[in-house]
Amino acid sequence: MAEESSAGGVSRAGLIGISLGVLAAGAAAGVAIERLTVGRAMRKRARAELDAAAAFGTLRGTAVTVTAADGTGLYAEVDEAEGAPGPTVVFCHGYCLNQDSWHFQRAALRGVLRTVFWDQRSHGRSERSRSHLAGEPASIDQLGADLEAVLDAVVPEGPVVLVGHSMGGMTVMALADRRPELFAPGGRVVGVALLGTLAGDWDAVPLGLPAVGAKVVKRVAPGVVRALGRQVELVEATRRWGSDLAAVFYRRFSFGSRDVDPSVARFADQLLDATPIDVVAEFYPTFSAHDKRAALAAMDGLPVLVLAGTKDLLTPPEYSEAIAAELPGARLVLVEGAGHLVMLERPGTVDRELAALLERAAERAGTGPLPDAVRELAQEQPEG
């Protein structure tokens, strides 16, 4: 079946690649494709206008290359804030994204606190995982070791607040499992934010599908994604050809509401499209193996923010509730109507909650009052 051709001469494997490439980032069957009735030329012009006008992804800092344990070069950027008291804030992005997914949070803290943004291995500007190219499977534990390398290289001393979204949250948990002393009283990690993530049991996530459909998707997806990862040129070509269909999937599994700013939705499309299918295939199997529920104990007692959208189909809010249940002192925030990319969909809410977390973390670290801009951000009125 994978070798049959459609009427347009594009293989079914390629068409499946469009959806499964997104499935690995959260897509599943059953999404309406009403967008496809709009003129293709009109959509192309609209995208060009959005690309020209939007500043998303343009914020840059001092570039640093961090060498991981296997020799992989990890790309990081540092935004300095001369003389600013408080912890360094390190942001860990999610699967099929890159550090630019933190655009709004970066803009809010730029020049206010020292911040670090890095691209996970094989993502963004980081080098393709050398160990994976040598035949070793990817793992969340490896990402935790990568985060440790980033801290050692870019934040060798002083208090740190770790912020992780989705796979980035799993990365933070893996570091807690690997180096619990960093999170203990007197340790360098003085605060943690876990956004749209889970500590385990990925295979039970229904992806917004009926139970039977979810079981089928979860059963066949690993093999199909693996097969597509071996057909990189074909799949990438058909993803471009099928960008309209892909955009529907992206919207469905990225955002919870229909009134997302078109420029933000377009930016999310670009982030997801930039991840090659073989990288999608590289990391997809790691989620089934991810179980860091026991590692959460290392964070107990820290200022912790657990935040998720109520319409997140990839890491549903009950998974954030489960994390918060293991951390009684954590602040649990469920953002009504928001989806998986909550930091792009509701940036004001995320910025406000992060600022409040930073205040609590600074108090724990004893660094003194943070800049007024942080306090003002923490007091911003809720969106909507």
Side-chain angles (χ1 to χ4, degrees), residues 4 15 61 148 173 184 192 232 262 312 362 368:
E4 294 176 12
L15 293 174
E148 181 181 7
M173 296 176 211
V192 173
V232 178
D312 187 334

Side-chain angles (χ1 to χ4, degrees), residues 113-160:
L113 292 176
R114 186 174 192 261
T115 52
V116 176
F117 303 84
W118 65 291
D119 291 339
Q120 304 255 25
R121 62 173 56 228
S122 296
H123 290 72
R125 296 172 176 84
S126 284
E127 186 182 1
R128 187 67 193 275
S129 173
R130 295 190 181 188
S131 58
H132 181 77
L133 294 176
E136 296 180 24
S139 71
I140 300 299
D141 286 336
Q142 185 178 51
L143 301 184
D146 289 348
L147 175 54
E148 181 181 7
V150 170
L151 293 180
D152 288 345
V154 186
V155 199
E157 58 185 20
V160 180

Side-chain angles (χ1 to χ4, degrees), residues 3 52 54 126 197 207 257 268 300 320 335:
E3 294 179 356
S126 284
T197 191
L207 298 174
S257 60
D300 194 16
S320 288
V335 185

Side-chain angles (χ1 to χ4, degrees), residues 14 54 88-89 101 106 117-118 131 161 174 181 188 207 217 223 226-227 249 252 322 325 334 355 359 362:
T88 297
V89 191
S101 61
R106 187 171 194 166
F117 303 84
W118 65 291
S131 58
V161 172
E181 71 278 8
R188 295 190 53 221
L207 298 174
V217 168
R226 187 166 53 250
F249 282 105
R252 166 70 168 167
L334 300 182
E359 289 189 318

Side-chain angles (χ1 to χ4, degrees), residues 12-341:
R12 289 184 183 273
L15 293 174
I16 294 173
I18 298 168
S19 60
L20 257 297
V22 182
L23 169 66
V31 180
I33 56 172
E34 66 273 8
R35 286 188 55 156
L36 302 184
T37 62
V38 181
R40 184 178 296 272
M42 184 183 299
R43 290 193 301 275
K44 186 175 181 180
R45 287 196 300 272
R47 287 176 185 141
E49 292 175 1
L50 290 172
D51 294 347
F56 301 126
T58 61
L59 299 179
R60 300 267 66 90
T62 302
V64 179
T65 299
V66 177
T67 303
D70 66 346
T72 299
L74 305 173
Y75 179 81
E77 291 184 0
V78 181
D79 287 356
E80 299 287 357
E82 297 298 331
T88 297
V89 191
V90 180
F91 289 82
C92 309
H93 70 78
Y95 178 49
C96 294
L97 299 170
N98 63 48
Q99 63 177 266
D100 292 340
S101 61
W102 297 110
H103 175 85
F104 289 108
Q105 292 67 50
R106 187 171 194 166
L109 296 176
R110 196 170 178 84
V112 177
L113 292 176
R114 186 174 192 261
T115 52
V116 176
F117 303 84
W118 65 291
D119 291 339
Q120 304 255 25
R121 62 173 56 228
S122 296
H123 290 72
R125 296 172 176 84
S126 284
E127 186 182 1
R128 187 67 193 275
S129 173
R130 295 190 181 188
S131 58
H132 181 77
L133 294 176
E136 296 180 24
S139 71
I140 300 299
D141 286 336
Q142 185 178 51
L143 301 184
D146 289 348
L147 175 54
E148 181 181 7
V150 170
L151 293 180
D152 288 345
V154 186
V155 199
E157 58 185 20
V160 180
V161 172
L162 301 176
V163 183
H165 168 251
S166 191
M167 187 175 77
M170 300 176 195
T171 301
V172 173
M173 296 176 211
L175 178 64
D177 190 34
R178 178 183 177 87
R179 295 286 307 278
E181 71 278 8
L182 291 176
F183 297 76
R188 295 190 53 221
V189 177
V190 296
V192 173
L194 302 172
L195 280 58
T197 191
L198 46 75
D201 209 18
W202 156 254
D203 286 337
V205 176
L207 298 174
L209 296 171
V212 174
K215 288 181 180 178
V216 171
V217 168
K218 287 299 182 73
R219 185 171 65 250
V220 304
V224 176
V225 171
R226 187 166 53 250
L228 293 171
R230 295 193 290 264
Q231 301 290 330
V232 178
E233 292 184 5
L234 171 63
V235 174
E236 294 306 317
T238 54
R239 283 174 82 180
R240 290 189 293 272
W241 176 84
S243 60
D244 295 313
L245 177 59
V248 175
F249 282 105
Y250 291 155
R251 176 67 69 93
R252 166 70 168 167
F253 289 90
S254 296
F255 305 113
S257 60
R258 291 180 175 271
D259 60 351
V260 177
D261 185 323
S263 62
V264 172
R266 172 60 179 162
F267 177 50
D269 290 353
Q270 292 172 320
L271 289 172
L272 294 166
D273 273 336
T275 306
I277 188 62
D278 51 337
V279 174
V280 173
E282 176 182 341
F283 285 88
Y284 187 75
T286 66
F287 303 123
S288 292
H290 169 66
D291 188 344
K292 288 292 182 281
R293 283 169 281 200
L296 295 174
M299 304 178 194
D300 194 16
L302 282 177
V304 175
L305 168 66
V306 182
L307 184 148
T310 61
K311 292 188 177 180
D312 187 334
L313 299 180
L314 304 184
T315 53
E318 54 264 33
Y319 287 84
S320 288
E321 292 175 326
I323 292 173
E326 296 294 325
L327 300 169
R331 174 167 169 76
L332 173 65
V333 178
L334 300 182
V335 185
E336 186 63 36
H340 190 58
L341 299 187

